[in-house]
Amino acid sequence: MTGAEGRQDLFDHAPPAASALLEALRGLGYSTEAAIADLIDNSIAAGARKIRIDFFWQGPASIVRIIDDGRGMDDHTLFEAMRPGGRHPLLVRDPDDLGRFGLGLKTASLSQGRVLAVVSRTAGGSESRRSWDLDYVAQADEWRLLRNIPADVQEHAAIPGADSGTAVVIGRLDRLLGEDMQSEAARTRFRSIARRVERHLAMTFHRFLEGPQPRLEIAIGGGDKGARIAPWDPFLQWHPATTPTPVERLTHRSGEIEVQGFVLPHRDKMTADQVEEAAGPDGWLGHEGFFVYRNRRLLVAGGWLGLGPGRRWTRDDVHRLARLRLDLPNSGDGDWKVDIRKSTATPPSTLRPRLQGLAEQVRRDAREVFAWRGGRSTRQPRAPIARVWNTVETARGTVYRIDRAHPAVQRALDATGASRRLSEEMLTVIEAGLPVQRIWLDVAEQGDLPPSPASMPAEEAAAMQSLYSHMREGLGLSAADARRRLLSIEPFAGYPAAVARLADETT
């Protein structure tokens, strides 16, 4: 065939403005991990239970492929899905629909490469195929949605062993790989991107991947077999030292909002591997603040959403243990100003005061855990710990004073007798010379204070034994009462095992 009738067997005409629109939308700023997460949203909306992401390294011919076992699409549905803005963003969505603007499939894919090929099959139906080839568009000087699959990605455009499902293939990865597409450095970069995608998906879809019978299974690899992605829980709910707040439900015109805060354990309460894992893809500071979800899918992974009394809160080390889970309904995109890439959200003005109040509580508790190195937990009430240093608010600001009522300090002062004035003067000199600014700079540069030693240092152990003997012999306390009191005194409270080993009889 020739002419328009023959061409119709090869392509469908898209709206006249599609060429300029899609070229512009390539610059929306999708990272590779955000782009693939957007494509997985489509698979979840299609009822997929298993999804596989493949990174095939073939130099300039490298491709990324996403395959799912969802319902698939017939020919008409696939054509509509490939059209820019095929669905109106204001239409009421299915409760499980994670999309909104009708642009994700095209913009996410073409933000990484110049070819997008989609093969889809419904149960009992035949395969449907469509593709965008931006190089073909430029050559033909006409925007065309092709019915065939470009030769350089055709090998991977298949749905292996599934009654229904969809395969999305992205080729000519100019945005993902850049100009260098065939060196060993490019290959290393390609693999690094794949690892970054894995961590991002483990975070973004962790609530789909969790549990003994998870709703979703995602595998990532470079062929027929892939490694199953394990969920990353940003709230460390598995750790006994994590402190959650009660779930609070807020009513809004777009639907009910759920908020829950979590104060994470101080690193002294975790192993080195747990500390590294808990940091997440963007690190402790990067994930401080709100985690915003819509339909259990993560949109925002940290930050304070512009909240704060007067000056907006920024991320800092002091509050890095504070994380809050915020669940939005599917109908709240407009009110929360969710963007096309599903990476930002802004609280409506009517909800800001209450959200700020909840965040202030979590920030305050997190600051306490950080300051006292996890020595106090709000999970279970207990007697306050006697601290060596107290903070005192004065007309010239916050100053730090040694607590004369601390049992070890008080015992030493009482023992000085007539020389007590000299001891008090010595403590005053120590307080005046405390290098607060130097300590602050060291923490800022190092990211944290050095972790507490796993076992009690010898000097502290000797001081504890001396105080324990004084409690038993000088104060007449029983062994159990003396040990109980030591557990409420800094620094001994941080070493319960050492306190438990103290002998009932003193020598």
Side-chain angles (χ1 to χ4, degrees):
M1 289 185 186
T2 59
E5 184 179 0
R7 289 200 307 273
Q8 184 60 31
D9 290 336
L10 299 176
F11 60 83
D12 294 310
H13 287 279
S19 175
L21 173 64
L22 287 180
E23 285 288 353
L25 289 178
R26 292 195 82 203
L28 275 176
Y30 274 100
S31 63
T32 304
E33 53 267 35
I36 292 179
D38 220 351
L39 297 174
I40 289 178
D41 289 342
N42 295 333
S43 297
I44 293 174
R49 305 286 298 192
K50 294 185 177 181
I51 301 171
R52 194 174 81 233
I53 303 104
D54 292 318
F55 282 77
F56 290 105
W57 171 254
Q58 299 169 158
S62 298
I63 68 103
V64 175
R65 180 178 68 182
I66 299 93
I67 299 176
D68 69 51
D69 63 352
R71 291 185 293 272
M73 295 174 280
D74 59 24
D75 201 62
H76 173 73
T77 305
L78 177 56
F79 171 69
E80 290 297 318
M82 295 288 275
R83 285 199 309 121
R87 300 177 67 185
H88 197 289
L90 297 182
L91 291 176
V92 176
R93 291 297 203 247
D94 183 88
D96 293 328
D97 194 344
L98 298 176
R100 172 59 55 187
F101 298 96
L103 293 170
L105 174 60
K106 287 76 63 178
T107 56
S109 302
L110 295 175
S111 72
Q112 304 302 305
R114 299 191 63 79
V115 171
L116 163 62
V118 180
V119 178
S120 194
R121 181 168 62 236
T122 58
S126 58
E127 279 192 354
S128 299
R129 297 172 168 235
R130 291 291 191 280
S131 63
W132 289 115
D133 183 338
L134 301 190
D135 293 327
Y136 178 78
V137 170
Q139 180 183 1
D141 197 25
E142 183 178 1
W143 197 247
R144 298 172 179 177
L145 176 61
L146 299 175
R147 289 177 176 268
N148 63 324
I149 303 298
D152 52 343
V153 300
Q154 192 167 27
E155 175 188 357
H156 301 292
I159 311 169
D163 293 332
S164 64
T166 300
V168 176
V169 183
I170 309 169
R172 295 178 217 157
L173 304 174
D174 61 331
R175 293 289 180 90
L176 189 152
L177 287 173
E179 295 181 0
D180 178 10
M181 295 189 181
Q182 55 189 4
S183 69
E184 188 59 32
R187 181 174 185 171
T188 299
R189 188 168 66 252
F190 191 66
R191 290 175 175 173
S192 176
I193 290 171
R195 288 192 295 271
R196 195 168 70 232
V197 167
E198 179 178 3
R199 297 194 72 188
H200 183 79
L201 298 182
M203 174 179 68
T204 302
F205 298 101
H206 76 93
R207 295 170 76 180
F208 292 83
L209 303 172
E210 291 168 344
Q213 294 182 320
R215 174 181 172 183
L216 186 66
E217 178 183 317
I218 304 176
I220 187 167
D224 292 338
K225 294 182 179 180
R228 186 170 177 175
I229 295 178
W232 178 72
D233 175 13
F235 311 116
L236 276 66
Q237 296 175 81
W238 50 267
H239 199 288
T242 295
T243 305
T245 67
V247 175
E248 179 148 348
R249 293 174 175 84
L250 309 178
T251 302
H252 188 256
R253 67 180 184 180
S254 60
E256 189 175 73
I257 313 298
E258 279 194 0
V259 190
Q260 185 176 22
F262 297 86
V263 178
L264 273 55
H266 191 277
R267 75 175 190 176
D268 283 0
K269 302 292 184 181
M270 296 188 283
T271 66
D273 289 342
Q274 289 173 342
V275 170
E276 182 177 357
E277 177 66 18
D282 295 326
W284 281 96
L285 282 185
H287 293 308
E288 171 190 318
F290 283 93
F291 281 68
V292 183
Y293 297 81
R294 186 188 64 182
N295 278 4
R296 300 169 63 83
R297 192 266 202 206
L298 183 63
L299 303 180
V300 178
W304 293 109
L305 304 182
L307 300 175
R311 179 180 296 178
R312 294 178 178 180
W313 290 323
T314 57
R315 304 176 208 194
D316 55 48
D317 277 311
V318 173
H319 299 100
R320 67 180 186 173
L321 301 179
R323 293 178 183 173
L324 295 96
R325 176 181 58 79
L326 177 58
D327 276 300
L328 308 182
N330 199 25
S331 55
D333 289 17
D335 289 327
W336 284 80
K337 300 178 183 177
V338 176
D339 68 342
I340 290 177
R341 291 178 294 130
K342 288 172 269 190
S343 61
T344 63
T346 303
S349 58
T350 55
L351 293 176
R352 293 177 71 86
R354 184 57 189 143
L355 289 175
Q356 183 167 305
L358 293 170
E360 281 178 334
Q361 174 190 340
V362 177
R363 283 167 58 88
R364 184 169 56 249
D365 292 345
R367 187 180 189 277
E368 180 182 348
V369 171
F370 179 84
W372 300 118
R373 306 176 72 94
R376 176 183 293 180
S377 171
T378 54
R379 181 186 289 272
Q380 294 179 345
R382 67 184 191 184
I385 292 177
R387 305 293 183 186
V388 178
W389 290 92
N390 285 334
T391 56
V392 180
E393 299 298 330
T394 69
R396 52 194 174 91
T398 302
V399 296
Y400 301 89
R401 297 285 184 255
I402 295 174
D403 187 356
R404 271 62 169 175
H406 185 283
V409 177
Q410 185 178 34
R411 179 190 174 204
L413 289 173
D414 290 344
T416 59
S419 302
R420 182 182 179 109
R421 183 177 61 82
L422 294 176
S423 299
E424 288 279 6
E425 289 176 356
M426 179 189 67
L427 294 180
T428 300
V429 170
I430 292 173
E431 291 169 339
L434 182 67
V436 175
Q437 291 182 330
R438 180 64 194 181
I439 293 171
W440 182 84
L441 286 172
D442 288 343
V443 173
E445 291 173 355
Q446 298 171 14
D448 199 355
L449 296 171
S452 296
S455 59
M456 183 181 290
E459 298 87 350
E460 294 179 20
M464 180 180 69
Q465 181 65 57
S466 176
L467 186 57
Y468 176 67
S469 298
H470 170 69
M471 289 178 178
R472 295 281 283 115
E473 299 167 6
L475 302 180
L477 297 181
S478 68
D481 286 343
R483 282 193 289 263
R484 190 177 302 112
R485 188 169 183 188
L486 285 172
L487 288 173
S488 67
I489 299 173
E490 186 183 45
F492 316 123
Y495 301 96
V499 172
R501 287 194 298 267
L502 290 168
D504 286 349
E505 299 300 325
T506 59
T507 57

